[in-house]
Amino acid sequence: MRFFEFEAREIVKRAGIPVTDYGFATDAAQAREIAERIGGPVVIKSQVLSGGRMKAGGVKFADTPEEAEEHAREILQLEIGGHMPRGVLVDPKAEVEQEYYAGVVWDGTRKRPVMIFSPVGGIDIEQVAAEQPDKVGRRHLSTILPRSDYQAKEVIAATGVSGSDLTRLTPIVRRLADVFAEKDMTLAEINPLGRLADGSFVALDAHMEMENEARPRHKALLAELGVGEHETRLAREPTPFEIAGEEVDASDHRGVAGNVTEFDGNLGLVIGAGGGSLTLFDAVRAHGGKPANYCEIGGNPSVAKACGLAKLVLQKPGVERIAVMMSIVSNTRVDIVARGVIKACLELGYDPAEKIAFFRIPGAWEEEGFKILDKYGIEYADRSVSLNEAARRAVEKIQGGERTEARA
Amino acid sequence: MSILVDQTTTFIVQGITGREAVNLTRECLDYGRGAKIVGGVTPGRLGREVHGVPVFDTVAQAVAHHGGPIDGSVVTVPPAFTRDAVFEAIENGIKLIVIVTERIPRRDVAEMVELAQLRGARIIGPNCLGVIVPDIVKMGGIGGPARNAAQAYTPGPIGVISRSGGMTTEMSSTLSAAGLGQSTAVSIGGDAIIGSSYAELMPLFQADEQTRGIVIYSEPGGRMEADLARWVTEHDASVADGERRSLPIVAFMAGRFMDEMPGMSFGHAGTIVEGKEDTTAEKIERLEAAGITVAERIEDIPQMIRQKIGAQEGAYA
């Protein structure tokens, strides 16, 4: 989960890393008050989660509090990358002599955090790494042995930084590594980290991401920062359809029938499990089908839950039929999913044989499942029909339906 | 032969009294020649039995009861307790740990993996279904009840490695139907950091006489496919005369639609496109550059791997 800059800066500040005397405002008058308190030129920065703020006009400089108020008013109305800002950050315009970079990320190959430092900051670190590799220091950190200042010192010294800069930077980089570890971050970055005229360092921007799975461990911090428990902070906010999918999944604790993502096609998908859903979604599209949604069933959900998910998909505007397909199941029961989707059709007044374009879930309790499907005349297949072929048949059926309508 | 486990492997189930763990225990006892489950651990439940398997409060008690080192553990405890359970297993001398639990924070996984490395232990998972050696033994929920597992998995020459538990069975079933059995199938888990990646399992398959080809299931996200491509390239560059070149590999890549949807996560926790390297397009390019064939449809895999094995073995003949 990504933090807004104002939150990330607060996290940095709490870790004992020097920050500027910034303020966060949700309206223009507040922004003016902060600018008055700062009492000099300020920068107004839009608080959105998408990149490219500067280019989009989301970052502006102001010499007076009046100007700050005016800019804040404009920026607060400005949508960037499909997102409205959460507020604006009002930051003193610091006289920076040099910009540095400090960051900690996971290295999935080595399975350890890696500390990164560069005396070339303010730009994308990957660009620096490509153009001036000798200016980027890297060091893996143990997750079970104690962290210590020398690790930060080594990374900084490796880039040629020495003297008082080295001694002043060391605790900053070390503390950033502590934040990364203690707060379960997947990314902790200060860029730029500015050196001021008096030789001191200050974080001028920060980027933090916390692992979703670890959020329960940091409830107090998240509450203090004002992060809502249900904020996903994904590339786009969940739609009402997706929120309804979460409610279906939360309706009882057994298994999964959810993880719904909305698309705008006519073929509703009741699919699973994790890998099977990815495979089936690709296959439907490869055959020219237009999925109305993505979803996942797994872990043996109840009939009620499978029914709830199928109902949600069936009722989605534009959905003509649904396809019920999974990779071979060993835990989820075929008969339970079959009963769930049939119940959904019947309760909505549809003929299951008409509404279910194709059913392909082989595996546990398939004999029982196939019996029920036979009874309702639903077209189905066992494991001898591939996921790809099942998707093709489902698409063919719905496209056949379109042709019929065109003739009528 | 097989990799990781065989019919002599002894293991325990940590969290054995949980609903899913009770089922998993039954399945493993019933499958193949019957797993040697020598104990279960659930704190506070000493003295109980699960399908005849004695339950202990601690791993140390299970080891003492067994009267010698135990080879493995299947860990099915809730995410908040997994790190402790795995540390306990490792510090009691267990060398193979299958972590079934989902939603474990990455830091905890990294700590478990690092301790395992220090102690010479291996972790499979988390968020995985475990390991199966067809007709011999299974360790974990892979394939489900014994009867279902027997329907999908057959013994043979193909090593299967998959980031999806369910797709391990789907692909193995497809291979079986085409007359290609499996030496060992490993569900490695769907998280961003896992104990054993494709590249880390390759040397084991490479050393296994029974295995003649590898089939993998891949997804967007992470560097695991790039690491495999690098392993193959480096292995083949350094292979000595008479040593086996990299086994032929066919990969299936799911989640191609995700390339167009950066920042969205689908399927598994580790499945997200954050940078260019996470995309299926980039992964396919890297795999193919290393000589790994990427299948578009699962039903094409048997023919592809058969052809690759034939070509490689023909070259040796």
Side-chain angles (χ1 to χ4, degrees):
Chain A
M1 183 206 59
R2 190 165 165 185
F3 289 101
F4 287 97
E5 181 191 356
F6 70 95
E7 296 165 338
R9 287 230 213 170
E10 177 62 26
I11 294 167
V12 164
K13 187 168 141 187
R14 287 175 180 219
I17 296 170
V19 294
T20 57
D21 182 26
Y22 68 89
F24 172 68
T26 52
D27 66 53
Q30 269 180 328
R32 181 198 173 108
E33 282 166 29
I34 297 164
E36 277 167 357
R37 188 197 73 213
I38 291 169
V42 293
V43 192
I44 313 291
K45 299 168 91 175
S46 174
Q47 295 299 291
V48 281
L49 291 179
S50 49
R53 283 183 302 183
M54 187 70 109
K55 231 180 179 177
V59 179
K60 287 188 170 165
F61 297 90
D63 288 326
T64 64
E66 293 71 32
E67 215 184 330
E69 183 175 0
E70 203 176 300
H71 287 334
R73 189 171 295 119
E74 286 165 26
I75 290 172
L76 284 165
Q77 309 287 327
L78 182 70
E79 187 184 282
I80 300 176
H83 296 271
M84 289 305 287
R86 185 65 65 96
V88 291
L89 195 134
V90 184
D91 206 13
K93 202 176 154 206
E95 286 305 320
V96 177
E97 291 206 325
Q98 189 177 338
E99 294 186 334
Y100 294 73
Y101 171 95
V104 187
V105 294
W106 279 109
D107 175 346
T109 302
R110 293 277 298 273
K111 306 168 194 182
R112 293 196 183 184
V114 57
M115 195 187 248
I116 307 167
F117 174 83
S118 176
V120 183
I123 55 171
D124 188 10
I125 189 66
E126 296 192 5
Q127 189 188 334
V128 183
E131 291 165 4
Q132 306 174 70
D134 57 323
K135 293 288 183 202
V136 179
R138 278 196 183 84
R139 190 189 203 289
H140 285 91
L141 297 171
S142 168
T143 56
I144 53 181
L145 299 174
R147 282 180 301 281
S148 199
D149 282 351
Y150 82 89
Q151 297 159 325
K153 191 181 67 176
E154 284 180 0
V155 177
I156 300 161
T159 64
V161 173
S162 182
S164 65
D165 287 352
L166 174 68
T167 53
R168 286 183 175 200
L169 281 163
T170 297
I172 294 176
V173 175
R174 155 71 195 274
R175 283 170 191 160
L176 189 64
D178 288 346
V179 168
F180 180 87
E182 287 158 12
K183 308 297 180 206
D184 283 288
M185 297 295 178
T186 53
L187 170 69
E189 197 176 63
I190 301 174
N191 189 26
L193 172 61
R195 188 185 68 210
L196 307 181
D198 65 358
S200 67
F201 288 85
V202 62
L204 297 171
D205 197 350
H207 187 172
M208 300 267 161
E209 290 180 20
M210 180 184 277
E211 179 145 47
N212 275 327
E213 283 74 7
R215 280 172 73 165
R217 291 212 276 236
H218 303 287
K219 272 190 182 149
L221 171 70
L222 295 172
E224 282 166 34
L225 292 172
V227 178
E229 227 174 290
H230 300 290
E231 279 187 61
T232 64
R233 307 262 176 112
L234 285 173
R236 65 168 174 77
E237 294 301 315
T239 66
F241 176 73
E242 289 163 359
I243 292 167
E246 277 173 41
E247 282 164 11
V248 169
D249 197 30
S251 64
D252 72 60
H253 71 279
R254 258 187 61 190
V256 176
N259 294 345
V260 175
T261 306
E262 182 165 4
F263 288 83
D264 56 7
N266 57 355
L267 178 60
L269 298 179
V270 178
I271 53 177
S277 288
L278 295 179
T279 305
L280 285 158
F281 196 91
D282 278 346
V284 166
R285 296 218 316 180
H287 290 292
K290 296 180 191 70
N293 66 288
Y294 172 90
C295 74
E296 289 165 18
I297 301 180
N300 199 17
S302 61
V303 171
K305 217 153 139 173
C307 172
L309 177 64
K311 263 188 170 171
L312 176 75
V313 175
L314 279 164
Q315 286 173 296
K316 183 173 185 282
V319 169
E320 293 168 23
R321 281 172 163 163
I322 59 169
V324 184
M325 309 183 285
M326 288 178 77
S327 52
I328 298 171
V329 293
S330 44
N331 181 11
T332 300
R333 280 171 52 172
V334 179
D335 60 326
I336 285 182
V337 180
R339 274 159 52 200
V341 295
I342 289 168
K343 190 162 180 261
C345 291
L346 295 176
E347 286 182 8
L348 293 172
Y350 297 128
D351 174 6
E354 167 61 27
K355 228 33 185 179
I356 299 173
F358 201 70
F359 186 106
R360 191 270 190 195
I361 309 181
W365 298 72
E366 65 181 15
E367 297 88 350
E368 292 79 359
F370 295 162
K371 246 181 247 166
I372 301 166
L373 294 165
D374 276 330
K375 187 178 155 197
Y376 286 91
I378 296 160
E379 194 182 340
Y380 66 89
D382 62 13
R383 71 187 64 200
S384 65
V385 167
S386 71
L387 294 172
N388 172 66
E389 174 62 13
R392 191 193 65 77
R393 289 196 199 172
V395 170
E396 189 181 74
K397 236 181 172 182
I398 206 159
Q399 285 173 345
E402 271 174 4
R403 276 198 298 276
T404 315
E405 277 165 34
R407 269 202 304 272
Chain B
M1 277 300 290
S2 56
I3 69 161
L4 300 168
V5 291
D6 59 29
Q7 64 192 91
T8 68
T9 304
T10 52
F11 65 91
I12 57 171
V13 177
Q14 288 175 268
I16 193 165
T17 50
R19 193 171 65 103
E20 296 299 329
V22 169
N23 293 340
L24 177 153
T25 301
R26 178 80 266 159
E27 294 172 4
C28 294
L29 289 170
D30 290 346
Y31 183 74
R33 301 191 187 168
K36 293 187 167 49
I37 307 180
V38 297
V41 175
T42 300
R45 304 287 168 88
L46 175 71
R48 296 203 185 182
E49 278 194 358
V50 172
H51 299 304
V53 174
V55 179
F56 302 97
D57 285 331
T58 67
V59 175
Q61 286 170 359
V63 173
H65 178 264
H66 181 59
I70 295 170
D71 299 321
S73 176
V74 177
V75 179
T76 64
V77 305
F81 308 109
T82 308
R83 172 177 49 189
D84 184 55
V86 171
F87 278 16
E88 185 185 357
I90 295 172
E91 294 302 300
N92 279 283
I94 290 175
K95 298 297 183 200
L96 177 68
I97 295 152
V98 169
I99 307 175
V100 175
T101 311
E102 286 182 51
R103 302 189 61 80
I104 306 172
R106 225 174 290 195
R107 179 170 183 83
D108 291 17
V109 179
E111 289 182 17
M112 297 184 273
V113 170
E114 193 173 340
L115 186 67
Q117 284 168 347
L118 275 176
R119 302 290 191 234
R122 174 183 288 282
I123 289 173
I124 305 289
N127 190 7
C128 82
L129 293 183
V131 188
I132 187 167
V133 181
D135 288 0
I136 306 291
V137 67
K138 73 169 191 136
M139 182 174 172
I142 189 163
R147 195 169 62 92
N148 295 100
Q151 215 181 336
Y153 294 91
T154 53
I158 309 297
V160 177
I161 316 175
S162 169
R163 284 172 68 175
S164 156
M167 292 302 286
T168 320
T169 299
E170 181 74 34
M171 294 199 308
S172 298
S173 172
T174 304
L175 289 164
S176 291
L180 284 168
Q182 305 85 44
S183 57
T184 307
V186 189
S187 155
I188 56 173
D191 285 357
I193 293 185
I194 54 171
S196 301
S197 65
Y198 309 118
E200 289 165 316
L201 290 175
M202 276 307 287
L204 277 68
F205 276 119
Q206 200 72 29
D208 173 42
E209 300 254 306
Q210 184 187 337
T211 307
R212 292 159 62 203
I214 300 288
V215 169
I216 71 167
Y217 166 88
S218 316
E219 294 178 344
R223 304 286 177 270
M224 244 180 283
E225 289 75 19
D227 292 341
L228 173 65
R230 198 176 54 233
W231 185 88
V232 168
T233 308
E234 288 177 3
H235 175 85
D236 285 355
S238 67
V239 76
D241 280 348
E243 261 182 60
R244 191 145 74 144
R245 284 176 65 83
S246 168
L247 291 163
I249 305 175
V250 173
F252 176 74
M253 181 67 68
R256 296 178 191 228
F257 71 97
M258 288 179 58
D259 286 6
E260 302 151 32
M261 308 185 72
M264 301 282 286
S265 182
F266 294 86
H268 303 112
T271 310
I272 183 165
V273 174
E274 282 169 329
K276 191 164 165 273
E277 286 178 309
D278 291 324
T279 62
T280 62
E282 175 105 353
K283 283 169 189 257
I284 291 168
E285 205 180 300
R286 281 175 195 252
L287 290 169
E288 287 180 341
I292 296 166
T293 304
V294 182
E296 287 202 9
R297 311 184 313 170
I298 290 166
E299 54 265 47
D300 298 337
I301 295 173
Q303 168 66 13
M304 285 173 166
I305 191 70
R306 196 171 258 143
Q307 209 164 26
K308 291 194 79 149
I309 292 171
Q312 191 185 62
E313 293 181 356
Y316 285 131

mmCIF file of all heavy atoms in Angstrom, chain A residues 263-269 281 283-293 316 318-321 394-395 398-399 402:
data_model
loop_
_atom_site.group_PDB
_atom_site.id
_atom_site.type_symbol
_atom_site.label_atom_id
_atom_site.label_comp_id
_atom_site.label_asym_id
_atom_site.label_seq_id
_atom_site.Cartn_x
_atom_site.Cartn_y
_atom_site.Cartn_z
ATOM 1 N N PHE A 263 -14.764 -5.351 -15.704
ATOM 2 C CA PHE A 263 -14.432 -5.039 -17.097
ATOM 3 C C PHE A 263 -15.756 -4.725 -17.786
ATOM 4 O O PHE A 263 -16.817 -4.811 -17.160
ATOM 5 C CB PHE A 263 -13.717 -6.225 -17.757
ATOM 6 C CG PHE A 263 -12.304 -6.416 -17.260
ATOM 7 C CD1 PHE A 263 -12.053 -7.116 -16.083
ATOM 8 C CD2 PHE A 263 -11.227 -5.881 -17.939
ATOM 9 C CE1 PHE A 263 -10.759 -7.273 -15.603
ATOM 10 C CE2 PHE A 263 -9.925 -6.034 -17.464
ATOM 11 C CZ PHE A 263 -9.694 -6.736 -16.303
ATOM 12 N N ASP A 264 -15.714 -4.360 -19.084
ATOM 13 C CA ASP A 264 -16.976 -3.887 -19.661
ATOM 14 C C ASP A 264 -17.574 -4.808 -20.725
ATOM 15 O O ASP A 264 -18.352 -4.369 -21.549
ATOM 16 C CB ASP A 264 -16.817 -2.460 -20.191
ATOM 17 C CG ASP A 264 -15.685 -2.370 -21.202
ATOM 18 O OD1 ASP A 264 -15.149 -3.449 -21.565
ATOM 19 O OD2 ASP A 264 -15.337 -1.258 -21.619
ATOM 20 N N GLY A 265 -17.248 -6.088 -20.687
ATOM 21 C CA GLY A 265 -17.749 -7.000 -21.702
ATOM 22 C C GLY A 265 -19.121 -7.578 -21.391
ATOM 23 O O GLY A 265 -19.789 -7.169 -20.440
ATOM 24 N N ASN A 266 -19.519 -8.577 -22.204
ATOM 25 C CA ASN A 266 -20.846 -9.182 -22.059
ATOM 26 C C ASN A 266 -20.815 -10.601 -21.494
ATOM 27 O O ASN A 266 -21.853 -11.188 -21.217
ATOM 28 C CB ASN A 266 -21.563 -9.189 -23.416
ATOM 29 C CG ASN A 266 -20.748 -9.936 -24.481
ATOM 30 O OD1 ASN A 266 -19.618 -10.371 -24.233
ATOM 31 N ND2 ASN A 266 -21.323 -10.070 -25.655
ATOM 32 N N LEU A 267 -19.619 -11.178 -21.353
ATOM 33 C CA LEU A 267 -19.511 -12.537 -20.824
ATOM 34 C C LEU A 267 -19.084 -12.478 -19.357
ATOM 35 O O LEU A 267 -17.947 -12.109 -19.050
ATOM 36 C CB LEU A 267 -18.504 -13.360 -21.647
ATOM 37 C CG LEU A 267 -18.246 -14.790 -21.171
ATOM 38 C CD1 LEU A 267 -19.531 -15.627 -21.178
ATOM 39 C CD2 LEU A 267 -17.181 -15.472 -22.023
ATOM 40 N N GLY A 268 -20.017 -12.806 -18.478
ATOM 41 C CA GLY A 268 -19.701 -12.827 -17.053
ATOM 42 C C GLY A 268 -18.849 -14.039 -16.734
ATOM 43 O O GLY A 268 -19.087 -15.123 -17.273
ATOM 44 N N LEU A 269 -17.843 -13.858 -15.890
ATOM 45 C CA LEU A 269 -16.961 -14.973 -15.562
ATOM 46 C C LEU A 269 -17.078 -15.330 -14.088
ATOM 47 O O LEU A 269 -16.951 -14.477 -13.214
ATOM 48 C CB LEU A 269 -15.506 -14.627 -15.894
ATOM 49 C CG LEU A 269 -15.197 -14.345 -17.367
ATOM 50 C CD1 LEU A 269 -13.718 -13.989 -17.541
ATOM 51 C CD2 LEU A 269 -15.546 -15.539 -18.247
ATOM 52 N N PHE A 281 -8.937 -16.074 -18.110
ATOM 53 C CA PHE A 281 -9.189 -14.711 -18.571
ATOM 54 C C PHE A 281 -8.426 -14.454 -19.872
ATOM 55 O O PHE A 281 -8.974 -13.916 -20.834
ATOM 56 C CB PHE A 281 -8.788 -13.700 -17.496
ATOM 57 C CG PHE A 281 -9.353 -12.332 -17.708
ATOM 58 C CD1 PHE A 281 -10.568 -11.976 -17.145
ATOM 59 C CD2 PHE A 281 -8.688 -11.394 -18.489
ATOM 60 C CE1 PHE A 281 -11.113 -10.717 -17.356
ATOM 61 C CE2 PHE A 281 -9.220 -10.128 -18.704
ATOM 62 C CZ PHE A 281 -10.436 -9.787 -18.128
ATOM 63 N N ALA A 283 -7.511 -16.739 -21.989
ATOM 64 C CA ALA A 283 -8.073 -17.604 -23.032
ATOM 65 C C ALA A 283 -9.355 -17.003 -23.610
ATOM 66 O O ALA A 283 -9.569 -17.013 -24.822
ATOM 67 C CB ALA A 283 -8.337 -18.998 -22.473
ATOM 68 N N VAL A 284 -10.196 -16.448 -22.746
ATOM 69 C CA VAL A 284 -11.440 -15.826 -23.227
ATOM 70 C C VAL A 284 -11.094 -14.685 -24.180
ATOM 71 O O VAL A 284 -11.670 -14.557 -25.267
ATOM 72 C CB VAL A 284 -12.291 -15.319 -22.032
ATOM 73 C CG1 VAL A 284 -13.393 -14.372 -22.502
ATOM 74 C CG2 VAL A 284 -12.890 -16.495 -21.267
ATOM 75 N N ARG A 285 -10.130 -13.883 -23.792
ATOM 76 C CA ARG A 285 -9.748 -12.757 -24.659
ATOM 77 C C ARG A 285 -9.086 -13.233 -25.946
ATOM 78 O O ARG A 285 -9.299 -12.661 -27.013
ATOM 79 C CB ARG A 285 -8.827 -11.811 -23.903
ATOM 80 C CG ARG A 285 -9.540 -11.177 -22.708
ATOM 81 C CD ARG A 285 -9.180 -9.761 -22.503
ATOM 82 N NE ARG A 285 -7.749 -9.540 -22.641
ATOM 83 C CZ ARG A 285 -7.183 -8.354 -22.493
ATOM 84 N NH1 ARG A 285 -7.913 -7.305 -22.197
ATOM 85 N NH2 ARG A 285 -5.894 -8.212 -22.641
ATOM 86 N N ALA A 286 -8.283 -14.284 -25.844
ATOM 87 C CA ALA A 286 -7.605 -14.799 -27.039
ATOM 88 C C ALA A 286 -8.612 -15.272 -28.089
ATOM 89 O O ALA A 286 -8.335 -15.219 -29.285
ATOM 90 C CB ALA A 286 -6.660 -15.932 -26.654
ATOM 91 N N HIS A 287 -9.787 -15.726 -27.631
ATOM 92 C CA HIS A 287 -10.810 -16.184 -28.574
ATOM 93 C C HIS A 287 -11.779 -15.070 -28.957
ATOM 94 O O HIS A 287 -12.840 -15.326 -29.516
ATOM 95 C CB HIS A 287 -11.560 -17.374 -27.992
ATOM 96 C CG HIS A 287 -10.706 -18.611 -27.926
ATOM 97 N ND1 HIS A 287 -10.287 -19.272 -29.061
ATOM 98 C CD2 HIS A 287 -10.150 -19.264 -26.885
ATOM 99 C CE1 HIS A 287 -9.519 -20.298 -28.705
ATOM 100 N NE2 HIS A 287 -9.416 -20.310 -27.395
ATOM 101 N N GLY A 288 -11.418 -13.848 -28.640
ATOM 102 C CA GLY A 288 -12.240 -12.708 -29.039
ATOM 103 C C GLY A 288 -13.387 -12.425 -28.099
ATOM 104 O O GLY A 288 -14.261 -11.608 -28.408
ATOM 105 N N GLY A 289 -13.420 -13.103 -26.948
ATOM 106 C CA GLY A 289 -14.483 -12.863 -25.975
ATOM 107 C C GLY A 289 -14.260 -11.568 -25.215
ATOM 108 O O GLY A 289 -13.134 -11.071 -25.142
ATOM 109 N N LYS A 290 -15.365 -11.027 -24.683
ATOM 110 C CA LYS A 290 -15.276 -9.774 -23.921
ATOM 111 C C LYS A 290 -15.733 -10.034 -22.493
ATOM 112 O O LYS A 290 -16.927 -10.018 -22.190
ATOM 113 C CB LYS A 290 -16.142 -8.699 -24.572
ATOM 114 C CG LYS A 290 -15.677 -8.321 -25.970
ATOM 115 C CD LYS A 290 -16.578 -7.250 -26.571
ATOM 116 C CE LYS A 290 -16.286 -7.061 -28.037
ATOM 117 N NZ LYS A 290 -16.737 -8.238 -28.845
ATOM 118 N N PRO A 291 -14.773 -10.250 -21.591
ATOM 119 C CA PRO A 291 -15.151 -10.529 -20.201
ATOM 120 C C PRO A 291 -15.801 -9.309 -19.540
ATOM 121 O O PRO A 291 -15.396 -8.170 -19.778
ATOM 122 C CB PRO A 291 -13.818 -10.840 -19.515
ATOM 123 C CG PRO A 291 -12.822 -11.043 -20.609
ATOM 124 C CD PRO A 291 -13.325 -10.271 -21.791
ATOM 125 N N ALA A 292 -16.833 -9.595 -18.735
ATOM 126 C CA ALA A 292 -17.483 -8.530 -17.970
ATOM 127 C C ALA A 292 -16.776 -8.321 -16.642
ATOM 128 O O ALA A 292 -16.963 -7.295 -15.996
ATOM 129 C CB ALA A 292 -18.942 -8.884 -17.726
ATOM 130 N N ASN A 293 -15.991 -9.325 -16.266
ATOM 131 C CA ASN A 293 -15.319 -9.233 -14.966
ATOM 132 C C ASN A 293 -14.224 -10.281 -14.867
ATOM 133 O O ASN A 293 -14.183 -11.236 -15.638
ATOM 134 C CB ASN A 293 -16.320 -9.483 -13.833
ATOM 135 C CG ASN A 293 -16.848 -10.916 -13.864
ATOM 136 O OD1 ASN A 293 -17.626 -11.280 -14.745
ATOM 137 N ND2 ASN A 293 -16.388 -11.736 -12.932
ATOM 138 N N LYS A 316 -24.889 -7.836 -13.378
ATOM 139 C CA LYS A 316 -24.096 -6.715 -13.870
ATOM 140 C C LYS A 316 -24.643 -6.279 -15.224
ATOM 141 O O LYS A 316 -24.842 -7.108 -16.110
ATOM 142 C CB LYS A 316 -22.628 -7.145 -14.000
ATOM 143 C CG LYS A 316 -21.703 -6.031 -14.432
ATOM 144 C CD LYS A 316 -20.252 -6.503 -14.377
ATOM 145 C CE LYS A 316 -19.306 -5.368 -14.688
ATOM 146 N NZ LYS A 316 -19.209 -5.053 -16.115
ATOM 147 N N GLY A 318 -25.182 -5.423 -18.902
ATOM 148 C CA GLY A 318 -24.420 -5.817 -20.088
ATOM 149 C C GLY A 318 -24.060 -7.290 -20.122
ATOM 150 O O GLY A 318 -23.651 -7.807 -21.161
ATOM 151 N N VAL A 319 -24.205 -7.988 -19.000
ATOM 152 C CA VAL A 319 -23.851 -9.411 -18.971
ATOM 153 C C VAL A 319 -24.977 -10.220 -19.620
ATOM 154 O O VAL A 319 -26.121 -10.155 -19.196
ATOM 155 C CB VAL A 319 -23.594 -9.905 -17.530
ATOM 156 C CG1 VAL A 319 -23.498 -11.430 -17.489
ATOM 157 C CG2 VAL A 319 -22.328 -9.277 -16.982
ATOM 158 N N GLU A 320 -24.623 -10.973 -20.682
ATOM 159 C CA GLU A 320 -25.630 -11.791 -21.362
ATOM 160 C C GLU A 320 -25.649 -13.202 -20.809
ATOM 161 O O GLU A 320 -26.706 -13.794 -20.621
ATOM 162 C CB GLU A 320 -25.345 -11.801 -22.864
ATOM 163 C CG GLU A 320 -25.563 -10.427 -23.487
ATOM 164 C CD GLU A 320 -25.010 -10.320 -24.898
ATOM 165 O OE1 GLU A 320 -24.852 -11.368 -25.558
ATOM 166 O OE2 GLU A 320 -24.726 -9.182 -25.320
ATOM 167 N N ARG A 321 -24.457 -13.749 -20.589
ATOM 168 C CA ARG A 321 -24.351 -15.099 -20.054
ATOM 169 C C ARG A 321 -23.133 -15.173 -19.152
ATOM 170 O O ARG A 321 -22.258 -14.306 -19.213
ATOM 171 C CB ARG A 321 -24.171 -16.102 -21.198
ATOM 172 C CG ARG A 321 -25.471 -16.423 -21.902
ATOM 173 C CD ARG A 321 -25.191 -17.256 -23.114
ATOM 174 N NE ARG A 321 -26.407 -17.906 -23.570
ATOM 175 C CZ ARG A 321 -26.550 -18.430 -24.773
ATOM 176 N NH1 ARG A 321 -25.569 -18.396 -25.649
ATOM 177 N NH2 ARG A 321 -27.679 -19.003 -25.113
ATOM 178 N N ALA A 394 -17.301 -21.183 -24.603
ATOM 179 C CA ALA A 394 -18.113 -20.165 -23.933
ATOM 180 C C ALA A 394 -18.237 -18.927 -24.822
ATOM 181 O O ALA A 394 -19.322 -18.365 -24.988
ATOM 182 C CB ALA A 394 -17.491 -19.798 -22.586
ATOM 183 N N VAL A 395 -17.135 -18.535 -25.427
ATOM 184 C CA VAL A 395 -17.137 -17.347 -26.285
ATOM 185 C C VAL A 395 -17.998 -17.596 -27.522
ATOM 186 O O VAL A 395 -18.800 -16.750 -27.935
ATOM 187 C CB VAL A 395 -15.686 -16.967 -26.691
ATOM 188 C CG1 VAL A 395 -15.686 -15.886 -27.764
ATOM 189 C CG2 VAL A 395 -14.903 -16.513 -25.472
ATOM 190 N N ILE A 398 -21.698 -17.222 -26.797
ATOM 191 C CA ILE A 398 -22.209 -15.865 -26.595
ATOM 192 C C ILE A 398 -22.182 -15.097 -27.912
ATOM 193 O O ILE A 398 -23.060 -14.294 -28.208
ATOM 194 C CB ILE A 398 -21.433 -15.139 -25.470
ATOM 195 C CG1 ILE A 398 -22.331 -14.077 -24.852
ATOM 196 C CG2 ILE A 398 -20.131 -14.544 -25.949
ATOM 197 C CD1 ILE A 398 -21.908 -13.654 -23.475
ATOM 198 N N GLN A 399 -21.201 -15.398 -28.755
ATOM 199 C CA GLN A 399 -21.164 -14.720 -30.053
ATOM 200 C C GLN A 399 -22.252 -15.256 -30.964
ATOM 201 O O GLN A 399 -22.841 -14.514 -31.730
ATOM 202 C CB GLN A 399 -19.774 -14.846 -30.677
ATOM 203 C CG GLN A 399 -18.807 -13.903 -29.971
ATOM 204 C CD GLN A 399 -17.378 -14.070 -30.409
ATOM 205 O OE1 GLN A 399 -17.028 -15.058 -31.044
ATOM 206 N NE2 GLN A 399 -16.543 -13.128 -30.059
ATOM 207 N N GLU A 402 -25.283 -13.399 -30.226
ATOM 208 C CA GLU A 402 -25.316 -12.066 -30.831
ATOM 209 C C GLU A 402 -25.806 -12.136 -32.270
ATOM 210 O O GLU A 402 -26.593 -11.317 -32.707
ATOM 211 C CB GLU A 402 -23.906 -11.459 -30.807
ATOM 212 C CG GLU A 402 -23.620 -10.698 -29.537
ATOM 213 C CD GLU A 402 -22.189 -10.218 -29.464
ATOM 214 O OE1 GLU A 402 -21.422 -10.418 -30.438
ATOM 215 O OE2 GLU A 402 -21.848 -9.671 -28.429
#
